[in-house]
Amino acid sequence: MPDRKNSTELLIIGGGVIGVSIAYHCAKAGIDVLLLEKDQFGTATTSQTARAFRTYFPKKPHDTELAVRSLSEFHSFATTTGSDLELKHLGLLTVLTSTEQAAEIEALLPAHREVGADVQLLTPAQAVEYNPWLDPATMEAAVWSPECYRVKPEALVKGYADAAAKLGARLLTGTEVTGIDAGAGQVSTTAGEFTADAIVIAAGPWGGDVAKLAGMELPVWGQFAELLYTDPISDRDTDTPFTFHPVSGLKTMGRGRGFLVGLERISKQEGMRDIWFEAAVEELPKWYPEAKGAKLHSAWTGTLDVTPTKSALIGRGEGEHERILFAAGFTGHGLAHAPTAGRIVRDLHRGVKPEVDLTAFSLATHLAQKPA
């Protein structure tokens, strides 16, 4: 390659966990990789998580499959990259509160098992054995998925980034993309001009904006999200699994003597955050009687990358955009999906059939779901 400093086989835009996973898997396959990140690695969405990943997504077997296929890489991560994720088993308890909801979720369990998920339908009495803070009278059933872990996201990002660099990938921070000529494979940045055989958009909430620079529509955008924590509600640690209430979107985990509470997908409309916050205050004691009266405090606020289907966009552009690959819009689930996403983009670039059916993640599927 005549001027390797300014040219590359694969140029990745975005240094979150998805971007560095792609860099690692592609560099490992012998692909010449250059990654550009406008800030520092993992500072946008990767660091703004509950520090946990799960392998079960109740209504989305395709999302479950991405996470299940990622699991073995998490367990071998310290050996392959030298970065310890400090995995701690949590388990995931999904609480079902009506006969209709229980029937719908139960009907989908075979599809999740088919893609490798370990899921078990529980009675309310069995559910409170996993999370004794719950009130069994409020439940119709529950689903237990043991494959859910607490993880250090910064170790995941650093491990991928360091390993990619050792394999020859070049990773540049503080470099913002300002223009893209998709046909010529040229990328303009605050650090100069670059040329690539292929360009990967892995820019999280800014994926849609980056795509526009190339004249391409990628329906992914940033949406406000927040995690809260409660005052202590016990004189002992609330050592509970990740517990999910699909009916309201409430997510909880034990945090010291209180709970970490998920508060996501809040509209940017003025005043909506306060409305959602009050809803969370009212929602928590419905399922956790002992949390009645407990105050909620903000643990962090940030931005999630979301799409019309609330599943990721993964694929390749067409026509004048055939040089462009994309992996964005993971809606807060990038930790769970990063290993598989990295391998998929590697295979798409090499012209190899990916390990999963990408129909649910295709641009066509998302555009069809986009509001008129």
Side-chain angles (χ1 to χ4, degrees), residues 16-296:
V17 69
I18 300 299
V20 293
S21 172
I22 295 168
Y24 166 72
H25 287 97
C26 289
K28 187 177 179 181
I31 297 166
D32 183 37
V33 172
L34 171 65
L35 183 149
L36 307 177
E37 165 56 41
K38 67 177 182 177
D39 295 311
Q40 298 297 315
F41 298 130
T43 57
T45 55
T46 303
S47 62
Q48 300 169 0
T49 71
R51 308 180 74 80
F53 75 88
R54 55 183 167 124
T55 57
Y56 172 54
F57 298 82
K59 294 184 180 182
K60 298 182 176 181
H62 52 277
D63 280 351
T64 292
E65 183 175 13
L66 291 188
V68 168
R69 288 178 177 270
S70 292
L71 190 59
S72 63
E73 194 162 309
F74 282 104
H75 286 303
S76 63
F77 200 77
T79 301
T80 56
T81 71
S83 184
D84 185 2
L85 300 181
E86 298 183 17
L87 294 182
K88 178 186 176 184
H89 182 257
L90 291 171
L92 170 68
L93 188 67
T94 301
V95 177
L96 311 175
T97 55
S98 70
T99 54
E100 295 79 10
Q101 184 191 42
E104 179 186 16
I105 297 302
E106 183 178 5
L108 288 169
L109 292 182
H112 290 280
R113 293 187 180 113
E114 187 175 338
V115 298
D118 182 354
V119 284
Q120 308 161 37
L121 189 68
L122 305 180
T123 65
Q126 291 172 320
V128 296
E129 291 180 11
Y130 287 102
N131 188 342
W133 297 90
L134 292 168
D135 179 0
T138 64
M139 290 183 277
E140 181 70 27
V143 175
W144 173 247
S145 170
E147 294 169 337
C148 178
Y149 299 84
R150 194 183 301 275
V151 64
K152 288 182 65 177
E154 62 273 18
L156 186 63
V157 172
K158 187 177 188 302
Y160 274 140
D162 289 350
K166 288 178 181 177
L167 290 165
R170 291 166 289 155
L171 290 79
L172 304 182
T173 58
T175 305
E176 185 173 359
V177 173
T178 58
I180 299 173
D181 183 334
Q186 293 180 341
V187 178
S188 302
T189 79
T190 53
E193 304 290 319
F194 297 91
T195 302
D197 296 337
I199 300 164
V200 182
I201 299 175
W206 300 277
D209 294 334
V210 171
K212 286 179 183 177
L213 295 174
M216 179 180 180
E217 181 180 11
L218 202 63
V220 56
W221 59 90
Q223 194 160 301
F224 181 84
E226 185 166 5
L227 274 181
L228 308 166
Y229 64 92
T230 70
D231 285 335
I233 63 172
S234 171
D235 58 1
R236 65 186 190 279
D237 282 351
T238 54
D239 188 16
T240 63
F242 191 124
T243 303
F244 178 40
H245 299 75
V247 69
S248 63
L250 182 72
K251 300 173 183 177
T252 64
M253 284 193 300
R255 180 185 188 272
R257 297 183 178 183
F259 290 109
L260 191 66
V261 180
L263 182 61
E264 298 179 356
R265 290 181 283 281
I266 305 170
S267 169
K268 288 188 175 181
Q269 182 180 339
E270 190 169 343
M272 282 302 295
R273 188 269 174 188
D274 294 335
I275 293 171
W276 229 108
F277 186 92
E278 290 303 318
V281 171
E282 295 175 3
E283 191 73 21
L284 189 64
K286 289 180 183 179
W287 317 110
Y288 296 94
E290 293 185 54
K292 186 175 182 178
K295 291 183 178 181
L296 292 176

